Amino acid sequence: MPPSGALTQHTVADVLRRHPTVSDDGVVDLSGVTRADSAAVALLLEWRRRHGAPLTLRNPPDALQRLLTLYGVDAILTN
């Protein structure tokens, strides 16, 4: 089940508890994400670490994509 709603400092711990890993193919559909902060970036980096390979992010919200670029992790996080 893809993450949905807010991915913020108040929600990512619960999201990680419910979804400790991503699918085997490494695809993460973010079309249901309505709000994201730096905690969302940390969540994606943790999923990438646990997956052991870059992820494929589908439909990331613009704000999240900007954070990934700002922090310089878009290249190491995704295919």
Side-chain angles (χ1 to χ4, degrees):
M1 179 172 165
S4 62
L7 286 182
T8 66
Q9 66 180 7
H10 302 290
T11 64
V12 295
D14 185 53
V15 171
L16 187 59
R17 189 172 28 262
R18 287 183 289 123
H19 307 284
T21 60
V22 297
S23 61
D24 290 341
D25 62 5
V27 174
V28 181
D29 181 4
L30 298 165
S31 60
V33 174
T34 57
R35 198 166 137 230
D37 65 13
S38 59
V41 175
L43 173 67
L44 292 171
L45 287 169
E46 179 59 18
W47 278 340
R48 195 257 185 243
R49 184 189 70 78
R50 291 179 182 193
H51 183 63
L55 305 174
T56 300
L57 303 182
R58 305 262 187 206
N59 308 304
D62 290 340
L64 179 55
Q65 187 61 56
R66 284 192 299 272
L67 286 174
L68 296 173
T69 303
L70 176 69
Y71 297 141
V73 297
D74 50 343
I76 63 168
L77 181 63
T78 61
N79 287 329

